[in-house]
Amino acid sequence: MADPDPNSQTPQTLVDGNVLAAKSLARFGIDRMFGVVGIPVTSLANRAVSLGVRFIAFHNEQSAGYAASAYGYLTGRPGVLLTVSGPGCVHGLAGMSNAMANAWPMIMISGSCDQRDFGRGDFQELDQIEAVKPFSKLSVKAKDIREIPESVFRVLDCAGSGRPGGCYLDLPSDVLHQTIPESEAETLLAAVEGSFAKRESVSSVPNSEIEKAVSLLRHAERPLIVWGKGAAYARAEAPLKKLVETTGIPFLPTPMGKGLLPDTHELAATAARSLAIGKCDVALVVGARLNWLLHFGEPPKWSKDVKFILVDISEEEIELRKPHLGLVGDAKRVVELINKEIKDDPFCFGKSHPWVEAIAKKTKENVSRMEAQLAKDVVPFNFLTPMRIIRDAILGLGSPAPVLVSEGANTMDIGRAVLVQTEPRTRLDAGTWGTMGVGLGYCIAAAVASPDRLVVAVEGDSGFGFSAMEVETLVRYQLPVVVIVFNNGGVYGGDRRNPEEISGPYKDDPAPTSFVPSAGYHTLIEAFGGKGYLVGTPEELKSALSESFSARKPAVINIIIDPYAGAESGRLQHKN
């Protein structure tokens, strides 16, 4: 027998860029991904699945991007969107820009054309790094397979650091097809893990600043605590509950901040919003920006003398708003420090305090007025009658409360006033950017992030139309989502034009706001094997809700609404 050749070597297993990217994502904590596959990223999706990453495949990158952004908010970990090159990347920008506007952690990964062919008119060629810059915190291109692990870590780290937002990773087709030995891949992954220390926690707010904040609250005559989805993202519900109930200060959540304390809490000022913000003299604002949603913190909605204490993770945000006092830090941690300071010298306004009494009185009046309207069964349906029935059905489910997704003009605005949030992070709506089309993407993200909860979408027919094809995705993955469509035949309802506007050669066309009347949206999901319901009376709606909520299967409930029941732009007429 011949001696073995001393120069022979066992062939090494090679991995390509798809495998290395998938390994990097899995190694750095990603276990869910949303997207649309195709050239050149199909193999990347398949490799990720084989490594334990659940891939939810959509019909459209916009909806997948909205899902990734909401998933980042709901879980506190970056949501991941995977797209093809060129137009896929452009479609995905909707989701990444939505993440930036809402300050949610997300990354978009797009394939791109071969680097050697860039500038020559290659398939789906686009300078994607330049295209995404206005919409991202950080954009990175891996120009060689060996750059993939560090590139993946950089975008994941940046997306969740400081004020969260969207980041972009570009993976050229030639990089995805490059190969290196598996041992080298493992060495690269280990090196990245070792070289990047965990993000440092935000430095603590100086105690002197906490003392100033507490002093302002203590000596206020009409204090108010306002919080937003930033407080929800920071999981600040426990310290906020302690702060509210220790001090007796009324509170006002922004729409997606609802549920950190129940809407039914005796100190909730939502139903007395105009009084609360118009008369308060000190406002502690936690995880909410003084943007359009809060009237920029300016008169006439706010008093010209109000003193703002602004708690935000971003120093730049505080510098922009120039509050009376700014506290830079994580919302949960800062409120804990405020509670600690109060503990040594407690104070409480009490139910008989004139300010607390005034808020409670106005809340009671407004709630009573609304309940009187809600009590009527109006058929053909207006918005209030079905909204009351939906509210009662959701409350009847108890805990864990469903995640409520809502979009539309009248549907979202009226639902915000009627539907009740009792648990944190259970409301998703158009958000800071007022984004229409988020509905089905948000539903899918919520069902994936919180599998123990039912997801209920309350959608206008226009909002539903943006992403309606994703009902097939609901059925394909058998997600527990019930989509309720308020069908009033148009963007705001029927033809709202003045007679003088109906002129010209195309005056016989439908109005720009009009859809096909009484469209059969419920039949869309039936085409894929889901359950559809057409309802027009209280009894039919109650039956559909009961059956679909119990089944916890994909369903669409098509509610026919009076086409003239709503108003243009809901409650934002002044913006149009």
Side-chain angles (χ1 to χ4, degrees):
M1 179 181 289
D3 293 332
D5 182 355
N7 295 317
S8 68
Q9 295 180 344
T10 303
Q12 293 199 56
T13 302
L14 297 178
V15 299
D16 66 6
N18 293 292
V19 173
L20 186 53
K23 281 179 173 285
S24 300
L25 290 165
R27 181 77 67 97
F28 300 137
I30 297 303
D31 59 3
R32 301 287 186 275
M33 197 185 307
F34 308 89
V36 178
V37 297
I39 298 170
V41 298
T42 305
S43 291
L44 172 51
N46 288 330
R47 299 300 176 269
V49 170
S50 70
L51 292 170
V53 178
R54 189 182 191 194
F55 190 91
I56 307 296
F58 282 70
H59 288 273
N60 182 285
E61 291 95 349
Q62 284 192 4
S63 290
Y66 294 143
S69 68
Y71 186 83
Y73 167 65
L74 291 169
T75 66
R77 305 189 307 276
V80 179
L81 166 66
L82 181 66
T83 84
V84 300
S85 46
C89 172
V90 172
H91 292 167
L93 284 177
M96 192 164 69
S97 55
N98 188 65
M100 285 296 292
N102 286 299
W104 292 347
M106 172 191 163
I107 67 168
M108 178 167 78
I109 302 173
S110 296
S112 60
C113 70
D114 282 7
Q115 295 174 94
R116 64 181 177 275
D117 293 327
F118 184 79
R120 302 178 4 156
D122 195 20
F123 175 69
Q124 295 187 336
E125 179 186 314
L126 173 68
D127 188 344
Q128 291 165 200
I129 291 291
E130 284 300 314
V132 305
K133 276 184 177 177
F135 309 101
S136 62
K137 290 180 69 178
L138 174 70
S139 51
V140 176
K141 184 172 188 172
K143 298 178 181 179
D144 182 88
I145 186 173
R146 292 167 180 83
E147 296 177 8
I148 288 176
E150 183 175 345
S151 298
V152 169
F153 185 88
R154 285 181 63 197
V155 291
L156 287 172
D157 182 67
C158 183
S161 64
R163 165 168 284 171
C167 293
Y168 173 71
L169 174 59
D170 192 280
L171 296 177
S173 179
D174 53 301
V175 172
L176 290 172
H177 290 104
Q178 287 175 354
T179 60
I180 57 174
E182 187 173 32
S183 59
E184 185 179 356
E186 286 301 319
T187 300
L188 289 167
L189 289 165
V192 170
E193 281 185 307
S195 64
F196 285 91
K198 286 188 176 181
R199 286 195 305 269
E200 294 181 8
S201 59
V202 178
S203 57
S204 184
V205 181
N207 196 55
S208 59
E209 300 293 285
I210 298 294
E211 289 172 358
K212 287 178 188 176
V214 171
S215 179
L216 283 165
L217 293 171
R218 186 190 306 277
H219 296 106
E221 293 182 13
R222 298 175 301 280
L224 181 68
I225 301 172
V226 180
W227 61 71
K229 61 182 177 294
Y233 176 79
R235 271 62 181 170
E237 53 267 24
L240 281 170
K241 182 176 188 291
K242 182 177 180 180
L243 177 62
V244 166
E245 296 185 347
T246 299
T247 63
I249 297 175
F251 67 89
L252 177 70
T254 63
M256 273 193 271
K258 285 160 63 75
L260 294 191
L261 268 70
D263 289 344
T264 52
H265 195 284
E266 61 183 357
L267 288 168
T270 302
R273 188 179 191 273
S274 295
L275 171 66
I277 68 175
K279 297 294 185 183
C280 73
D281 59 350
V282 174
L284 172 64
V285 182
V286 182
R289 284 171 278 179
L290 295 176
N291 56 18
W292 70 276
L293 285 162
L294 289 173
H295 314 288
F296 307 105
E298 296 174 348
K301 295 292 186 179
W302 295 84
S303 164
K304 62 181 177 63
D305 299 318
V306 63
K307 293 184 173 72
F308 285 107
I309 306 167
L310 194 57
V311 178
D312 201 282
I313 195 72
S314 168
E315 187 172 357
E316 290 77 12
E317 177 67 21
I318 288 173
E319 289 174 353
L320 172 67
R321 307 298 175 182
K322 296 178 173 59
H324 183 81
L325 178 62
L327 305 177
V328 180
D330 174 78
K332 181 179 181 181
R333 175 63 179 151
V334 173
V335 178
E336 287 173 342
L337 291 172
I338 291 172
N339 284 332
K340 184 178 179 183
E341 178 67 22
I342 290 172
K343 182 180 178 183
D344 295 333
D345 188 9
F347 66 94
C348 185
F349 282 77
K351 294 180 182 179
S352 61
H353 188 280
W355 173 238
V356 178
E357 278 192 337
I359 295 289
K361 180 182 177 185
K362 178 58 71 174
T363 295
K364 186 176 180 181
E365 290 173 359
N366 288 346
V367 168
S368 296
R369 191 177 299 117
M370 175 66 83
E371 287 301 322
Q373 292 179 278
L374 289 169
K376 304 169 187 173
D377 278 344
V378 178
V379 180
F381 277 144
N382 59 9
F383 282 87
L384 292 175
T385 297
M387 206 67 80
R388 180 204 78 223
I389 295 169
I390 294 166
R391 177 196 67 183
D392 293 347
I394 290 174
L395 288 173
L397 294 174
S399 185
V403 176
L404 174 70
V405 175
S406 188
E407 64 176 332
N410 294 280
T411 306
M412 182 176 67
D413 287 342
I414 294 170
R416 186 183 294 146
V418 176
L419 302 174
V420 177
Q421 308 303 135
T422 58
E423 296 178 9
R425 293 166 296 282
T426 56
R427 180 181 175 87
L428 296 167
D429 65 21
T432 304
W433 227 23
T435 310
M436 290 295 116
V438 295
L440 272 293
Y442 279 10
C443 286
I444 293 165
V448 171
S450 304
D452 59 323
R453 296 182 189 270
L454 179 69
V455 180
V456 179
V458 181
E459 303 261 303
D461 52 354
S462 174
F464 175 66
F466 280 85
S467 60
M469 190 62 187
E470 303 300 346
V471 298
E472 187 275 339
T473 309
L474 299 181
V475 176
R476 187 171 8 118
Y477 291 98
Q478 282 298 294
L479 300 174
V481 177
V482 176
V483 181
I484 303 168
V485 181
F486 277 58
N487 183 355
N488 62 356
V491 176
Y492 303 116
D495 190 342
R496 304 299 176 96
R497 294 175 294 180
N498 298 319
E500 60 269 20
E501 292 181 290
I502 306 175
S503 60
Y506 303 107
K507 62 183 175 62
D508 294 328
D509 275 358
T513 55
S514 295
F515 298 151
V516 171
S518 301
Y521 296 119
H522 59 293
T523 64
L524 182 61
I525 197 168
E526 291 175 346
F528 307 112
K531 180 69 174 177
Y533 302 85
L534 176 65
V535 304
T537 68
E539 293 72 24
E540 289 171 346
L541 178 55
K542 289 175 184 176
S543 174
L545 291 169
S546 176
E547 183 177 308
S548 61
F549 283 9
S550 296
R552 293 178 65 90
K553 297 286 187 182
V556 171
I557 300 175
N558 185 12
I559 305 178
I560 304 300
I561 305 291
D562 181 347
Y564 299 101
E568 183 180 3
S569 297
R571 298 185 181 185
L572 283 179
Q573 292 93 333
H574 67 287
K575 290 287 184 185
N576 193 1

